[in-house]
Amino acid sequence: MPDGTAGRVADLERRRARAVAPGGPRRRGEFGARERIERLLDAGSFTETGLFVRARSSAGDGTHRPYGDGVVTGHGTVDGRPVCVFAQDSTVFGGSMGEAFGEKTVALMDLALKTGCPVIGLNDSGGARIQEGVASLALYAELVRRNVQASGVIPQISVVLGPCAGGAAYSPAITDFTVMVDGASHMFVTGPDVIETVTGERTTAEELGGAHTSNAVNGNAHFLAADEEDALDTVRELLSYLPANNLERPPEYAPAPPPAGEPLDEVVPDRLGQAYDMCEILRSVVDDGELLQVQELFAPNIVCALARVEGRSVGVVANQPLHAAGVLDIDASEKAARFVRFCDAFGIPLLTFADVPGYLSGVRQEHGGIIRRGAKLLYAYAEATVPKVTVVVRKAYGGGYAVMGSKHLGADVNLAWPTARIAVMGAEGAVGLLHRRELAAAADPEALRARLVAAYESTHGTPYLAAERGYVDDVIAPRETRARVCLALRALHGKRAPMPQRRHGNIPL
Protein backbone atom coordinates (compact mmCIF):
# COMPACT_ATOMS: atom_id res chain seq x y z
CA MET A 1 0.00 0.00 0.00
CA PRO A 2 1.58 3.36 -1.04
CA ASP A 3 2.29 5.85 1.73
CA GLY A 4 0.95 9.40 1.84
CA THR A 5 -2.03 11.05 0.17
CA ALA A 6 -0.38 11.36 -3.24
CA GLY A 7 0.46 7.67 -3.28
CA ARG A 8 -3.03 6.67 -2.27
CA VAL A 9 -4.57 8.89 -4.94
CA ALA A 10 -2.26 7.37 -7.55
CA ASP A 11 -3.30 3.90 -6.36
CA LEU A 12 -6.96 4.95 -6.68
CA GLU A 13 -6.42 6.06 -10.26
CA ARG A 14 -4.68 2.78 -11.14
CA ARG A 15 -7.58 0.82 -9.67
CA ARG A 16 -10.08 2.94 -11.56
CA ALA A 17 -8.22 2.34 -14.80
CA ARG A 18 -8.24 -1.41 -14.16
CA ALA A 19 -11.94 -1.33 -13.25
CA VAL A 20 -13.04 0.36 -16.49
CA ALA A 21 -10.74 -1.60 -18.82
CA PRO A 22 -12.49 -4.11 -21.11
CA GLY A 23 -12.32 -7.67 -19.86
CA GLY A 24 -11.62 -9.07 -23.31
CA PRO A 25 -12.39 -8.65 -27.03
CA ARG A 26 -15.80 -7.43 -28.16
CA ARG A 27 -17.97 -8.87 -30.86
CA ARG A 28 -17.46 -7.01 -34.10
CA GLY A 29 -19.44 -3.81 -34.49
CA GLU A 30 -20.74 -3.52 -30.94
CA PHE A 31 -20.15 -0.80 -28.38
CA GLY A 32 -18.76 -1.48 -24.92
CA ALA A 33 -21.01 -1.37 -21.85
CA ARG A 34 -19.89 2.11 -20.79
CA GLU A 35 -20.05 3.41 -24.36
CA ARG A 36 -23.67 2.27 -24.55
CA ILE A 37 -24.51 4.10 -21.35
CA GLU A 38 -22.77 7.26 -22.58
CA ARG A 39 -24.74 7.17 -25.82
CA LEU A 40 -28.01 6.70 -23.96
CA LEU A 41 -27.63 9.36 -21.26
CA ASP A 42 -27.15 13.10 -21.40
CA ALA A 43 -23.47 13.96 -21.85
CA GLY A 44 -21.53 13.93 -18.59
CA SER A 45 -24.51 12.91 -16.46
CA PHE A 46 -23.55 9.32 -15.60
CA THR A 47 -22.54 8.48 -12.03
CA GLU A 48 -21.36 4.88 -11.67
CA THR A 49 -22.19 2.74 -8.66
CA GLY A 50 -20.32 -0.37 -7.53
CA LEU A 51 -17.19 0.39 -9.56
CA PHE A 52 -14.93 -1.53 -7.19
CA VAL A 53 -17.22 -4.47 -6.55
CA ARG A 54 -15.27 -7.58 -7.50
CA ALA A 55 -16.34 -10.95 -8.77
CA ARG A 56 -16.39 -13.88 -6.44
CA SER A 57 -13.63 -16.36 -7.25
CA SER A 58 -14.58 -18.36 -10.32
CA ALA A 59 -11.69 -20.77 -9.88
CA GLY A 60 -12.16 -21.32 -6.16
CA ASP A 61 -8.65 -20.16 -5.38
CA GLY A 62 -9.21 -16.40 -5.24
CA THR A 63 -7.84 -15.71 -8.73
CA HIS A 64 -9.48 -13.97 -11.70
CA ARG A 65 -11.74 -11.57 -9.82
CA PRO A 66 -12.38 -8.66 -12.23
CA TYR A 67 -13.77 -5.39 -10.99
CA GLY A 68 -17.43 -4.80 -11.78
CA ASP A 69 -18.11 -8.52 -12.32
CA GLY A 70 -19.46 -7.97 -15.83
CA VAL A 71 -22.07 -5.29 -15.24
CA VAL A 72 -21.87 -1.49 -15.15
CA THR A 73 -24.49 0.19 -12.94
CA GLY A 74 -25.32 3.78 -12.13
CA HIS A 75 -27.62 6.73 -12.65
CA GLY A 76 -27.80 9.79 -14.89
CA THR A 77 -30.31 11.78 -16.91
CA VAL A 78 -32.14 11.56 -20.23
CA ASP A 79 -33.35 14.97 -21.43
CA GLY A 80 -32.58 16.24 -17.93
CA ARG A 81 -34.80 13.64 -16.21
CA PRO A 82 -33.21 11.12 -13.80
CA VAL A 83 -32.92 7.43 -14.73
CA CYS A 84 -31.11 4.40 -13.37
CA VAL A 85 -29.28 2.17 -15.84
CA PHE A 86 -27.29 -1.04 -15.94
CA ALA A 87 -25.30 -2.42 -18.86
CA GLN A 88 -24.11 -6.01 -19.00
CA ASP A 89 -20.51 -6.36 -20.19
CA SER A 90 -20.04 -9.30 -22.54
CA THR A 91 -16.24 -8.99 -22.30
CA VAL A 92 -16.32 -10.22 -18.67
CA PHE A 93 -17.36 -13.87 -18.31
CA GLY A 94 -19.49 -13.44 -21.44
CA GLY A 95 -21.80 -11.10 -19.53
CA SER A 96 -23.04 -14.02 -17.44
CA MET A 97 -24.61 -13.26 -14.07
CA GLY A 98 -22.55 -14.10 -11.01
CA GLU A 99 -23.28 -13.29 -7.40
CA ALA A 100 -21.61 -9.86 -7.33
CA PHE A 101 -23.08 -9.02 -10.76
CA GLY A 102 -26.54 -9.83 -9.45
CA GLU A 103 -26.08 -7.95 -6.19
CA LYS A 104 -25.06 -4.81 -8.09
CA THR A 105 -28.09 -5.02 -10.35
CA VAL A 106 -30.48 -5.64 -7.48
CA ALA A 107 -28.99 -2.71 -5.56
CA LEU A 108 -29.58 -0.47 -8.58
CA MET A 109 -33.21 -1.62 -8.80
CA ASP A 110 -33.63 -0.80 -5.12
CA LEU A 111 -32.19 2.67 -5.74
CA ALA A 112 -34.57 3.26 -8.66
CA LEU A 113 -37.54 2.29 -6.48
CA LYS A 114 -36.43 4.51 -3.61
CA THR A 115 -35.86 7.52 -5.84
CA GLY A 116 -38.86 6.92 -8.11
CA CYS A 117 -37.11 7.00 -11.47
CA PRO A 118 -37.22 4.71 -14.54
CA VAL A 119 -34.74 1.86 -14.80
CA ILE A 120 -33.18 0.83 -18.11
CA GLY A 121 -31.39 -2.47 -18.59
CA LEU A 122 -28.92 -2.92 -21.46
CA ASN A 123 -28.85 -6.70 -21.76
CA ASP A 124 -26.01 -8.68 -23.36
CA SER A 125 -25.66 -11.90 -21.40
CA GLY A 126 -25.19 -15.61 -21.89
CA GLY A 127 -27.28 -16.33 -18.80
CA ALA A 128 -26.34 -17.80 -15.44
CA ARG A 129 -22.66 -18.17 -14.57
CA ILE A 130 -22.19 -21.92 -14.33
CA GLN A 131 -19.07 -21.65 -12.17
CA GLU A 132 -21.03 -19.93 -9.38
CA GLY A 133 -23.87 -22.45 -9.36
CA VAL A 134 -26.93 -21.78 -7.28
CA ALA A 135 -25.75 -18.29 -6.23
CA SER A 136 -26.27 -17.13 -9.81
CA LEU A 137 -29.76 -18.63 -9.90
CA ALA A 138 -30.62 -17.02 -6.57
CA LEU A 139 -29.75 -13.57 -7.89
CA TYR A 140 -31.91 -14.09 -11.00
CA ALA A 141 -34.83 -14.75 -8.67
CA GLU A 142 -33.93 -11.66 -6.60
CA LEU A 143 -33.84 -9.55 -9.76
CA VAL A 144 -37.22 -10.83 -10.93
CA ARG A 145 -38.67 -10.07 -7.49
CA ARG A 146 -37.45 -6.47 -7.87
CA ASN A 147 -38.99 -6.32 -11.36
CA VAL A 148 -42.33 -7.35 -9.87
CA GLN A 149 -42.06 -4.87 -6.99
CA ALA A 150 -41.28 -2.10 -9.47
CA SER A 151 -44.06 -3.08 -11.90
CA GLY A 152 -46.57 -0.25 -12.11
CA VAL A 153 -44.42 1.91 -9.83
CA ILE A 154 -41.55 2.96 -12.11
CA PRO A 155 -41.20 2.40 -15.86
CA GLN A 156 -38.88 -0.51 -16.69
CA ILE A 157 -37.27 -0.73 -20.12
CA SER A 158 -35.10 -3.59 -21.39
CA VAL A 159 -32.77 -3.25 -24.37
CA VAL A 160 -31.44 -6.53 -25.75
CA LEU A 161 -28.17 -5.84 -27.56
CA GLY A 162 -26.81 -9.37 -27.87
CA PRO A 163 -27.78 -12.75 -26.45
CA CYS A 164 -30.33 -12.92 -23.66
CA ALA A 165 -30.67 -16.59 -22.84
CA GLY A 166 -31.98 -18.83 -20.11
CA GLY A 167 -32.92 -17.14 -16.85
CA ALA A 168 -31.71 -13.82 -18.27
CA ALA A 169 -34.74 -13.73 -20.60
CA TYR A 170 -37.35 -13.66 -17.84
CA SER A 171 -36.45 -10.25 -16.44
CA PRO A 172 -37.06 -8.46 -19.79
CA ALA A 173 -40.32 -10.41 -20.09
CA ILE A 174 -41.58 -8.78 -16.88
CA THR A 175 -40.42 -5.26 -17.70
CA ASP A 176 -42.74 -2.84 -19.48
CA PHE A 177 -40.97 -2.58 -22.84
CA THR A 178 -38.28 -4.54 -24.66
CA VAL A 179 -36.20 -3.16 -27.54
CA MET A 180 -34.21 -5.54 -29.77
CA VAL A 181 -31.68 -4.93 -32.55
CA ASP A 182 -32.28 -6.57 -35.92
CA GLY A 183 -29.65 -9.17 -36.70
CA ALA A 184 -27.83 -8.78 -33.37
CA SER A 185 -30.26 -9.59 -30.55
CA HIS A 186 -31.42 -13.06 -29.54
CA MET A 187 -33.77 -13.98 -26.71
CA PHE A 188 -34.80 -17.52 -25.80
CA VAL A 189 -34.97 -19.88 -22.85
CA THR A 190 -32.97 -22.67 -24.50
CA GLY A 191 -30.69 -22.25 -27.49
CA PRO A 192 -30.64 -24.13 -30.79
CA ASP A 193 -28.06 -26.71 -29.67
CA VAL A 194 -30.03 -27.70 -26.57
CA ILE A 195 -33.28 -27.88 -28.54
CA GLU A 196 -31.70 -30.17 -31.13
CA THR A 197 -30.33 -32.43 -28.39
CA VAL A 198 -33.63 -32.64 -26.52
CA THR A 199 -36.22 -32.62 -29.32
CA GLY A 200 -34.28 -33.24 -32.51
CA GLU A 201 -35.52 -29.97 -34.00
CA ARG A 202 -32.98 -27.96 -35.97
CA THR A 203 -33.13 -24.20 -35.93
CA THR A 204 -30.94 -21.12 -35.73
CA ALA A 205 -30.67 -18.46 -33.05
CA GLU A 206 -32.20 -15.95 -35.44
CA GLU A 207 -35.18 -18.17 -36.30
CA LEU A 208 -35.68 -19.19 -32.68
CA GLY A 209 -35.52 -15.86 -30.90
CA GLY A 210 -34.02 -13.21 -33.13
CA ALA A 211 -35.21 -9.63 -33.05
CA HIS A 212 -37.67 -10.09 -35.92
CA THR A 213 -39.08 -13.32 -34.47
CA SER A 214 -39.49 -11.68 -31.06
CA ASN A 215 -41.23 -8.65 -32.55
CA ALA A 216 -43.42 -10.25 -35.22
CA VAL A 217 -44.01 -13.88 -34.22
CA ASN A 218 -44.10 -14.38 -30.45
CA GLY A 219 -44.56 -10.78 -29.29
CA ASN A 220 -41.80 -10.96 -26.66
CA ALA A 221 -40.37 -7.62 -27.84
CA HIS A 222 -42.05 -4.26 -28.41
CA PHE A 223 -39.65 -2.38 -30.69
CA LEU A 224 -37.37 -3.48 -33.55
CA ALA A 225 -34.29 -1.30 -33.96
CA ALA A 226 -32.04 -1.20 -37.01
CA ASP A 227 -28.85 -0.91 -34.91
CA GLU A 228 -27.67 -0.03 -31.41
CA GLU A 229 -27.94 3.72 -31.95
CA ASP A 230 -31.51 3.30 -33.17
CA ALA A 231 -32.30 1.17 -30.10
CA LEU A 232 -31.02 3.84 -27.71
CA ASP A 233 -32.88 6.56 -29.66
CA THR A 234 -36.04 4.50 -29.24
CA VAL A 235 -35.52 4.40 -25.47
CA ARG A 236 -35.08 8.18 -25.31
CA GLU A 237 -38.22 8.74 -27.39
CA LEU A 238 -40.19 6.28 -25.26
CA LEU A 239 -39.14 8.00 -22.03
CA SER A 240 -40.40 11.33 -23.37
CA TYR A 241 -43.98 10.01 -23.10
CA LEU A 242 -43.66 8.46 -19.64
CA PRO A 243 -43.77 9.82 -16.09
CA ALA A 244 -40.86 9.10 -13.77
CA ASN A 245 -43.14 7.01 -11.56
CA ASN A 246 -46.78 6.25 -10.83
CA LEU A 247 -47.19 9.27 -8.53
CA GLU A 248 -46.17 11.82 -11.15
CA ARG A 249 -47.91 12.97 -14.32
CA PRO A 250 -46.31 12.33 -17.71
CA PRO A 251 -44.22 15.23 -19.02
CA GLU A 252 -46.11 17.99 -20.79
CA TYR A 253 -44.93 19.91 -23.83
CA ALA A 254 -46.13 23.01 -25.62
CA PRO A 255 -49.35 22.20 -27.49
CA ALA A 256 -48.71 21.50 -31.15
CA PRO A 257 -50.84 22.98 -33.92
CA PRO A 258 -53.45 20.66 -35.47
CA PRO A 259 -51.85 18.19 -37.90
CA ALA A 260 -51.89 19.18 -41.54
CA GLY A 261 -53.72 16.85 -43.88
CA GLU A 262 -56.97 16.12 -45.63
CA PRO A 263 -60.23 16.39 -43.66
CA LEU A 264 -61.42 13.07 -42.24
CA ASP A 265 -64.90 13.16 -43.78
CA GLU A 266 -63.81 11.08 -46.78
CA VAL A 267 -61.49 8.56 -45.08
CA VAL A 268 -63.98 5.77 -44.40
CA PRO A 269 -65.06 4.01 -47.62
CA ASP A 270 -68.77 3.79 -48.44
CA ARG A 271 -68.57 0.02 -48.90
CA LEU A 272 -68.44 -1.71 -45.52
CA GLY A 273 -66.01 -4.44 -46.53
CA GLN A 274 -63.46 -2.03 -48.02
CA ALA A 275 -60.29 -1.53 -45.95
CA TYR A 276 -58.60 1.74 -45.05
CA ASP A 277 -55.64 2.70 -42.86
CA MET A 278 -56.73 3.58 -39.33
CA CYS A 279 -53.35 5.27 -38.77
CA GLU A 280 -54.43 7.95 -41.26
CA ILE A 281 -57.21 8.90 -38.83
CA LEU A 282 -54.98 8.68 -35.77
CA ARG A 283 -52.32 10.94 -37.27
CA SER A 284 -54.99 13.55 -37.98
CA VAL A 285 -55.95 13.63 -34.31
CA VAL A 286 -52.67 13.48 -32.36
CA ASP A 287 -50.06 16.24 -32.17
CA ASP A 288 -47.79 16.54 -35.21
CA GLY A 289 -49.26 13.29 -36.55
CA GLU A 290 -46.70 11.38 -34.46
CA LEU A 291 -47.35 7.85 -33.18
CA LEU A 292 -44.86 5.70 -31.32
CA GLN A 293 -46.32 2.30 -32.10
CA VAL A 294 -45.80 -0.48 -29.56
CA GLN A 295 -45.45 -4.03 -30.94
CA GLU A 296 -46.09 -2.68 -34.42
CA LEU A 297 -45.19 -5.98 -36.12
CA PHE A 298 -47.15 -8.22 -33.73
CA ALA A 299 -50.94 -8.60 -34.06
CA PRO A 300 -51.13 -5.77 -36.63
CA ASN A 301 -54.95 -5.98 -36.59
CA ILE A 302 -54.79 -3.71 -33.55
CA VAL A 303 -52.72 -0.54 -33.12
CA CYS A 304 -51.25 0.39 -29.74
CA ALA A 305 -49.29 3.61 -29.66
CA LEU A 306 -48.09 6.43 -27.47
CA ALA A 307 -48.85 9.93 -28.75
CA ARG A 308 -49.67 13.43 -27.53
CA VAL A 309 -52.78 15.53 -27.68
CA GLU A 310 -52.28 19.22 -26.84
CA GLY A 311 -48.82 18.40 -25.51
CA ARG A 312 -49.98 15.67 -23.10
CA SER A 313 -49.31 11.94 -23.41
CA VAL A 314 -52.09 9.57 -24.43
CA GLY A 315 -52.22 5.86 -25.08
CA VAL A 316 -53.97 5.05 -28.35
CA VAL A 317 -55.72 1.73 -28.98
CA ALA A 318 -57.35 1.25 -32.38
CA ASN A 319 -58.57 -1.56 -34.59
CA GLN A 320 -56.71 -1.68 -37.91
CA PRO A 321 -59.03 -2.56 -40.84
CA LEU A 322 -56.01 -3.11 -43.11
CA HIS A 323 -55.34 -6.40 -41.26
CA ALA A 324 -58.05 -9.03 -40.86
CA ALA A 325 -60.70 -6.27 -40.92
CA GLY A 326 -59.54 -5.18 -37.44
CA VAL A 327 -60.88 -8.33 -35.80
CA LEU A 328 -59.94 -9.17 -32.22
CA ASP A 329 -58.06 -12.43 -31.88
CA ILE A 330 -55.92 -13.92 -29.10
CA ASP A 331 -52.78 -11.99 -29.95
CA ALA A 332 -54.55 -8.66 -30.47
CA SER A 333 -56.43 -9.03 -27.19
CA GLU A 334 -53.31 -9.76 -25.16
CA LYS A 335 -51.28 -7.05 -26.89
CA ALA A 336 -53.91 -4.39 -26.22
CA ALA A 337 -54.70 -5.59 -22.68
CA ARG A 338 -51.10 -5.23 -21.54
CA PHE A 339 -50.82 -1.80 -23.14
CA VAL A 340 -54.06 -0.60 -21.52
CA ARG A 341 -52.87 -1.80 -18.12
CA PHE A 342 -49.52 -0.05 -18.56
CA CYS A 343 -51.21 3.24 -19.42
CA ASP A 344 -53.55 2.89 -16.45
CA ALA A 345 -50.66 2.15 -14.07
CA PHE A 346 -48.86 5.34 -15.06
CA GLY A 347 -51.76 7.75 -15.41
CA ILE A 348 -51.75 7.97 -19.21
CA PRO A 349 -55.25 8.66 -20.65
CA LEU A 350 -56.64 6.12 -23.12
CA LEU A 351 -57.91 7.15 -26.54
CA THR A 352 -59.72 4.33 -28.36
CA PHE A 353 -60.81 4.19 -32.00
CA ALA A 354 -63.18 1.33 -32.77
CA ASP A 355 -63.82 -0.37 -36.08
CA VAL A 356 -64.23 -3.99 -35.07
CA PRO A 357 -66.29 -6.89 -36.45
CA GLY A 358 -66.02 -8.74 -33.12
CA TYR A 359 -63.88 -11.58 -31.83
CA LEU A 360 -62.39 -13.99 -34.35
CA SER A 361 -64.23 -17.28 -34.61
CA GLY A 362 -62.72 -20.65 -35.49
CA VAL A 363 -61.56 -23.91 -33.99
CA ARG A 364 -57.94 -22.77 -33.57
CA GLN A 365 -58.96 -19.64 -31.70
CA GLU A 366 -61.40 -21.52 -29.46
CA HIS A 367 -58.86 -24.24 -28.70
CA GLY A 368 -56.21 -21.57 -28.12
CA GLY A 369 -58.33 -19.98 -25.40
CA ILE A 370 -59.99 -16.99 -27.08
CA ILE A 371 -62.59 -16.83 -24.28
CA ARG A 372 -60.05 -16.67 -21.46
CA ARG A 373 -57.44 -14.69 -23.34
CA GLY A 374 -59.88 -12.37 -25.08
CA ALA A 375 -61.34 -11.56 -21.66
CA LYS A 376 -58.04 -9.95 -20.70
CA LEU A 377 -58.88 -6.89 -22.79
CA LEU A 378 -62.35 -6.62 -21.21
CA TYR A 379 -60.72 -6.85 -17.79
CA ALA A 380 -58.07 -4.24 -18.64
CA TYR A 381 -60.57 -1.64 -19.87
CA ALA A 382 -62.97 -2.25 -16.97
CA GLU A 383 -60.12 -1.99 -14.47
CA ALA A 384 -58.61 1.20 -15.90
CA THR A 385 -59.38 4.40 -13.99
CA VAL A 386 -57.51 6.89 -16.19
CA PRO A 387 -59.52 9.19 -18.49
CA LYS A 388 -61.00 7.09 -21.30
CA VAL A 389 -62.27 8.59 -24.55
CA THR A 390 -63.65 6.39 -27.33
CA VAL A 391 -64.52 7.16 -30.96
CA VAL A 392 -66.55 4.60 -32.94
CA VAL A 393 -65.50 5.05 -36.54
CA ARG A 394 -67.34 2.33 -38.43
CA LYS A 395 -68.42 -1.17 -37.39
CA ALA A 396 -68.69 -2.07 -33.70
CA TYR A 397 -70.32 -5.47 -33.57
CA GLY A 398 -71.04 -7.89 -30.77
CA GLY A 399 -68.44 -8.38 -28.08
CA GLY A 400 -66.11 -6.17 -30.09
CA TYR A 401 -68.38 -3.18 -29.40
CA ALA A 402 -68.36 -3.89 -25.68
CA VAL A 403 -64.63 -4.41 -25.29
CA MET A 404 -63.33 -1.49 -27.34
CA GLY A 405 -63.73 1.20 -24.70
CA SER A 406 -67.51 1.11 -24.45
CA LYS A 407 -69.46 3.22 -21.96
CA HIS A 408 -70.42 -0.01 -20.19
CA LEU A 409 -66.78 -0.76 -19.30
CA GLY A 410 -66.36 2.69 -17.79
CA ALA A 411 -65.39 4.95 -20.67
CA ASP A 412 -65.94 8.61 -19.79
CA VAL A 413 -66.70 10.14 -23.18
CA ASN A 414 -67.96 8.10 -26.14
CA LEU A 415 -68.26 9.67 -29.57
CA ALA A 416 -69.36 8.13 -32.87
CA TRP A 417 -69.06 9.09 -36.48
CA PRO A 418 -72.24 8.96 -38.60
CA THR A 419 -70.58 6.04 -40.42
CA ALA A 420 -70.67 3.97 -37.21
CA ARG A 421 -72.63 0.73 -37.18
CA ILE A 422 -73.27 -0.38 -33.60
CA ALA A 423 -75.12 -3.69 -33.46
CA VAL A 424 -75.01 -7.30 -32.33
CA MET A 425 -73.81 -8.32 -35.78
CA GLY A 426 -73.60 -7.11 -39.36
CA ALA A 427 -76.70 -6.75 -41.48
CA GLU A 428 -76.07 -9.80 -43.68
CA GLY A 429 -75.64 -12.13 -40.73
CA ALA A 430 -78.56 -10.66 -38.82
CA VAL A 431 -80.96 -10.93 -41.76
CA GLY A 432 -79.88 -14.52 -42.37
CA LEU A 433 -80.72 -15.43 -38.77
CA LEU A 434 -83.87 -13.36 -38.25
CA HIS A 435 -85.54 -14.02 -41.59
CA ARG A 436 -84.38 -17.51 -42.48
CA ARG A 437 -87.87 -18.88 -43.13
CA GLU A 438 -89.06 -15.86 -45.10
CA LEU A 439 -86.01 -16.03 -47.34
CA ALA A 440 -86.45 -19.76 -47.91
CA ALA A 441 -90.10 -19.28 -48.94
CA ALA A 442 -89.59 -16.15 -51.08
CA ALA A 443 -90.02 -16.25 -54.83
CA ASP A 444 -87.02 -13.93 -55.18
CA PRO A 445 -84.90 -14.46 -52.03
CA GLU A 446 -82.08 -12.20 -53.17
CA ALA A 447 -84.38 -9.25 -53.74
CA LEU A 448 -86.00 -9.83 -50.35
CA ARG A 449 -82.61 -10.14 -48.71
CA ALA A 450 -81.51 -6.82 -50.23
CA ARG A 451 -84.64 -5.06 -48.88
CA LEU A 452 -84.23 -6.59 -45.42
CA VAL A 453 -80.55 -5.69 -45.30
CA ALA A 454 -81.34 -2.10 -46.27
CA ALA A 455 -84.01 -1.90 -43.58
CA TYR A 456 -81.63 -3.29 -40.94
CA GLU A 457 -78.89 -0.88 -41.98
CA SER A 458 -81.22 2.11 -41.70
CA THR A 459 -82.00 1.29 -38.06
CA HIS A 460 -79.45 -0.99 -36.40
CA GLY A 461 -76.69 -0.02 -38.81
CA THR A 462 -76.38 3.50 -37.36
CA PRO A 463 -75.04 5.06 -34.15
CA TYR A 464 -78.38 6.64 -33.25
CA LEU A 465 -79.98 3.79 -31.30
CA ALA A 466 -76.90 3.78 -29.04
CA ALA A 467 -77.04 7.58 -28.80
CA GLU A 468 -80.72 7.46 -27.80
CA ARG A 469 -79.81 5.32 -24.81
CA GLY A 470 -76.81 7.46 -23.84
CA TYR A 471 -74.29 4.77 -24.75
CA VAL A 472 -72.80 7.31 -27.18
CA ASP A 473 -72.51 10.87 -25.89
CA ASP A 474 -72.58 12.48 -29.31
CA VAL A 475 -72.49 11.73 -33.01
CA ILE A 476 -69.92 14.01 -34.66
CA ALA A 477 -68.66 14.78 -38.12
CA PRO A 478 -65.27 13.12 -38.71
CA ARG A 479 -63.60 16.49 -39.25
CA GLU A 480 -64.57 17.49 -35.69
CA THR A 481 -62.73 14.56 -34.10
CA ARG A 482 -59.54 16.24 -32.92
CA ALA A 483 -61.40 19.24 -31.48
CA ARG A 484 -63.84 17.02 -29.59
CA VAL A 485 -61.09 14.72 -28.31
CA CYS A 486 -59.17 17.75 -27.05
CA LEU A 487 -62.24 19.05 -25.23
CA ALA A 488 -62.89 15.66 -23.65
CA LEU A 489 -59.33 15.19 -22.45
CA ARG A 490 -59.24 18.71 -21.00
CA ALA A 491 -62.44 18.06 -19.06
CA LEU A 492 -61.07 14.74 -17.76
CA HIS A 493 -57.61 16.01 -16.82
CA GLY A 494 -58.40 16.02 -13.11
CA LYS A 495 -60.38 12.76 -13.08
CA ARG A 496 -60.46 10.83 -9.80
CA ALA A 497 -61.84 7.31 -9.69
CA PRO A 498 -61.13 5.51 -6.41
CA MET A 499 -61.39 1.72 -6.54
CA PRO A 500 -62.51 -0.71 -3.82
CA GLN A 501 -59.65 -1.66 -1.50
CA ARG A 502 -58.26 -5.10 -2.31
CA ARG A 503 -54.97 -6.90 -2.65
CA HIS A 504 -55.35 -7.16 -6.42
CA GLY A 505 -57.79 -8.49 -8.97
CA ASN A 506 -57.52 -11.89 -10.62
CA ILE A 507 -57.08 -11.16 -14.32
CA PRO A 508 -57.68 -14.25 -16.51
CA LEU A 509 -54.03 -15.02 -17.25
Side-chain angles (χ1 to χ4, degrees):
M1 178 67 65
D3 295 327
T5 301
R8 291 178 182 272
V9 170
D11 178 60
L12 168 64
E13 296 303 327
R14 284 193 294 270
R15 288 175 183 267
R16 278 183 176 167
R18 286 172 56 195
V20 301
R26 303 174 191 162
R27 288 184 293 271
R28 192 176 73 176
E30 70 173 16
F31 297 118
R34 287 183 176 80
E35 289 175 309
R36 288 166 170 168
I37 291 174
E38 289 168 2
R39 282 168 165 74
L40 171 66
L41 302 182
D42 296 338
S45 70
F46 181 57
T47 298
E48 187 166 346
T49 60
L51 177 65
F52 294 120
V53 170
R54 297 188 69 181
R56 309 296 186 259
S57 174
S58 60
D61 58 3
T63 62
H64 195 42
R65 298 181 56 222
Y67 286 113
D69 197 29
V71 64
V72 180
T73 59
H75 51 87
T77 61
V78 173
D79 293 330
R81 303 170 66 212
V83 298
C84 285
V85 61
F86 67 84
Q88 297 167 350
D89 187 350
S90 63
T91 70
V92 179
F93 299 124
S96 62
M97 180 182 280
E99 187 176 5
F101 177 125
E103 288 173 349
K104 284 180 63 177
T105 309
V106 166
L108 183 80
M109 290 290 298
D110 290 340
L111 177 64
L113 271 168
K114 282 188 280 189
T115 57
C117 72
V119 63
I120 304 156
L122 308 181
N123 296 268
D124 189 354
S125 170
R129 190 172 302 166
I130 297 172
Q131 301 94 318
E132 297 197 24
V134 70
S136 176
L137 301 179
L139 266 301
Y140 270 125
E142 290 282 356
L143 177 57
V144 166
R145 183 158 65 96
R146 297 317 194 281
N147 289 137
V148 173
Q149 290 172 345
S151 183
V153 180
I154 56 174
Q156 302 178 78
I157 302 172
S158 297
V159 188
V160 180
L161 298 169
C164 187
Y170 285 108
S171 177
I174 296 172
T175 60
D176 299 306
F177 300 103
T178 298
V179 185
M180 296 182 72
V181 177
D182 196 16
S185 306
H186 303 100
M187 189 163 57
F188 37 68
V189 175
T190 52
D193 293 341
V194 175
I195 287 177
E196 184 174 358
T197 300
V198 174
T199 70
E201 298 172 285
R202 291 189 175 183
T203 185
T204 65
E206 190 64 30
E207 292 172 340
L208 183 63
H212 193 273
T213 297
S214 298
N215 272 271
V217 179
N218 57 40
N220 288 335
H222 301 81
F223 299 99
L224 178 65
D227 52 33
E228 290 196 9
E229 290 280 14
D230 186 33
L232 300 179
D233 286 342
T234 299
V235 173
R236 284 189 290 268
E237 183 180 4
L238 178 57
L239 286 169
S240 73
Y241 292 97
L242 309 182
N245 56 66
N246 64 329
L247 299 179
E248 294 187 9
R249 288 188 183 273
E252 296 184 12
Y253 298 84
E262 295 298 317
L264 294 177
D265 290 0
E266 305 299 325
V267 171
V268 175
D270 291 331
R271 188 163 58 86
L272 184 60
Q274 188 174 346
Y276 64 93
D277 187 358
M278 179 63 81
C279 288
E280 185 178 345
I281 294 173
L282 303 181
R283 293 190 182 100
S284 294
V285 174
V286 302
D287 291 1
D288 296 319
E290 292 183 355
L291 297 166
L292 179 60
Q293 287 204 48
V294 177
Q295 291 184 298
E296 183 175 4
L297 301 180
F298 182 70
N301 40 318
I302 199 159
V303 174
C304 297
L306 291 163
R308 294 186 185 90
V309 173
E310 294 194 305
R312 293 173 177 161
S313 297
V314 295
V316 179
V317 180
N319 308 108
Q320 177 52 286
L322 284 181
H323 297 278
V327 73
L328 288 170
D329 57 11
I330 287 171
D331 287 344
S333 298
E334 293 188 331
K335 168 183 171 178
R338 193 161 194 264
F339 182 73
V340 166
R341 298 191 88 212
F342 172 83
C343 291
D344 186 52
F346 289 101
I348 299 173
L350 288 163
L351 180 57
T352 303
F353 284 77
D355 184 351
V356 58
Y359 281 99
L360 181 62
S361 59
V363 173
R364 290 185 64 183
Q365 287 287 304
E366 294 290 350
H367 286 183
I370 184 65
I371 295 174
R372 168 177 55 85
R373 298 163 77 178
K376 295 177 185 181
L377 186 53
L378 283 157
Y379 190 105
Y381 267 114
E383 179 187 47
T385 61
V386 292
K388 292 181 282 190
V389 178
T390 297
V391 180
V392 182
V393 173
R394 191 166 61 170
K395 56 191 180 297
Y397 293 151
Y401 156 72
V403 68
M404 288 299 296
S406 68
K407 183 74 75 173
H408 324 290
L409 291 184
D412 301 293
V413 176
N414 289 66
L415 306 170
W417 287 8
T419 51
R421 292 170 165 87
I422 302 173
V424 174
M425 61 176 63
E428 290 286 347
V431 166
L433 284 174
L434 296 173
H435 303 282
R436 185 185 306 117
R437 292 180 181 176
E438 296 170 59
L439 291 168
D444 188 350
E446 290 308 313
L448 177 59
R449 178 184 294 276
R451 289 197 300 273
L452 292 171
V453 166
Y456 185 93
E457 286 282 10
S458 67
T459 54
H460 297 281
T462 74
Y464 298 109
L465 285 180
E468 286 177 14
R469 291 183 171 272
Y471 302 159
V472 169
D473 294 301
D474 201 0
V475 180
I476 63 171
R479 62 178 176 272
E480 299 170 342
T481 304
R482 176 177 164 90
R484 294 300 298 272
V485 165
C486 289
L487 288 172
L489 290 173
R490 280 183 225 156
L492 294 166
H493 187 58
K495 179 185 175 183
R496 296 291 182 266
M499 295 289 285
Q501 188 171 358
R502 58 181 176 179
R503 288 179 180 270
H504 56 74
N506 189 21
I507 188 170
L509 297 174

